[in-house]
Amino acid sequence: MRVVTVTAEPQALSVDLDRTALVMIDMQRDFIEPGGFGASLGNDVSLLRAAIDPCRQLLAAARAAGLLVVHTREGHRPDLSDAPRAKLERGAPSLRIGDSGPMGRILIRGEPGHDLIPELRPRDGEPVVDKPGKGAFYATDFGALLSGRGIENLIVCGVTTEVCVHTTVREANDRGYRCLVPADCCASYFPAFHHSALAMIKAQGGIFGWVTDAAGVINAMNPFTP
Ligand code: C5J
């Protein structure tokens, strides 16, 4: 057991690092770089870059402390067989899922835009979960991967705060995981949604999680990061 206490809201949380995973949600070029899915929806993708450096620091500390690190990517099969029509038809983007853009076909596995950004590239051996939905548990082996390693606590980072991070935290909470969300390691195209999403997580005594920041987790892990 390597129990540490993380400063968080609505209250500090003690976790066993041996039962804790760092989860990096969808830090993909398609969301963060110009020319991808996020930009096709009319968003200012530069807003998401604020999360990169805090994520990089937390990732380094988590690796040094020997935590399980899991990366996720949102995307679809090239034949779109796993993309519901309701998702494909939604809105009025400049490019739809599957269309060809400057980073290849939008939100399609194997295309350059589907890649994780180079700043947060996975290390050999770190699982990468490809998910067709917003949550990391839906239609993936994420749950099996966590339970197989005895994981009870998740530190959930990534983009966007109110969509894939929130959906994953809600899914995880219902499955019995304690979720810590470092605010500066998440970002949204809508700063107001980012703040509201974090407020929702920690309201009502932490109705489905705890909110902290990168420094809160890094400081707590300090005794175990040589
Ligand atoms: C979105 C995500 N926003 N990763 N996906 O469509 O949050």
Side-chain angles (χ1 to χ4, degrees):
M1 291 247 290
R2 296 185 297 155
V3 177
V4 302
T5 300
V6 181
T7 310
E9 292 181 296
Q11 67 278 116
L13 179 68
S14 296
V15 294
D16 178 359
L17 293 182
D18 295 329
R19 295 193 175 275
T20 302
L22 176 68
V23 185
M24 304 293 303
I25 300 284
D26 301 356
M27 292 300 282
Q28 293 165 257
R29 300 183 65 198
D30 250 324
F31 293 105
I32 298 173
E33 295 185 6
F37 181 59
S40 79
L41 295 168
N43 296 306
D44 174 2
V45 294
S46 70
L47 288 167
L48 302 194
R49 300 200 73 83
I52 297 175
D53 206 49
C55 279
R56 205 182 41 73
Q57 291 176 34
L58 183 50
L59 194 50
R63 284 168 173 159
L67 263 65
L68 171 68
V69 176
V70 183
H71 307 258
T72 72
R73 298 183 296 201
E74 180 179 346
H76 298 281
R77 295 175 183 273
D79 65 3
L80 297 175
S81 56
D82 59 353
R85 204 198 246 188
K87 183 173 182 181
L88 296 174
E89 292 176 348
R90 188 159 314 157
S94 57
L95 291 170
R96 289 197 182 272
I97 295 169
D99 286 351
S100 290
M103 292 194 289
R105 293 180 67 204
I106 298 284
L107 224 56
I108 298 296
R109 294 180 190 164
E111 299 288 338
H114 183 257
D115 263 358
L116 297 166
I117 57 170
E119 295 90 331
L120 300 173
R121 190 162 282 139
R123 276 203 185 152
D124 283 353
E126 291 176 353
V128 178
V129 173
D130 280 324
K131 61 187 187 59
K134 304 304 183 192
F137 289 86
Y138 170 68
T140 72
D141 61 358
F142 184 53
L145 191 154
L146 298 177
S147 56
R149 288 166 169 83
I151 297 296
E152 296 176 353
N153 317 296
L154 304 179
I155 303 165
V156 187
C157 304
V159 297
T160 63
T161 320
E162 79 280 11
V163 184
C164 290
V165 171
H166 231 244
T167 306
T168 299
V169 169
R170 287 169 184 258
E171 287 181 328
N173 177 67
D174 280 351
R175 287 165 172 78
Y177 294 94
R178 298 177 198 91
C179 293
L180 264 165
V181 181
D184 52 347
C185 295
C186 303
S188 169
Y189 305 119
F190 305 92
F193 291 176
H194 170 79
H195 294 296
S196 298
L198 296 170
M200 286 179 204
I201 290 170
K202 68 186 177 188
Q204 304 178 75
I207 193 76
F208 53 92
W210 288 257
V211 175
T212 181
D213 58 15
V217 184
I218 292 169
N219 290 340
M221 292 194 299
N222 196 34
F224 300 102
T225 49

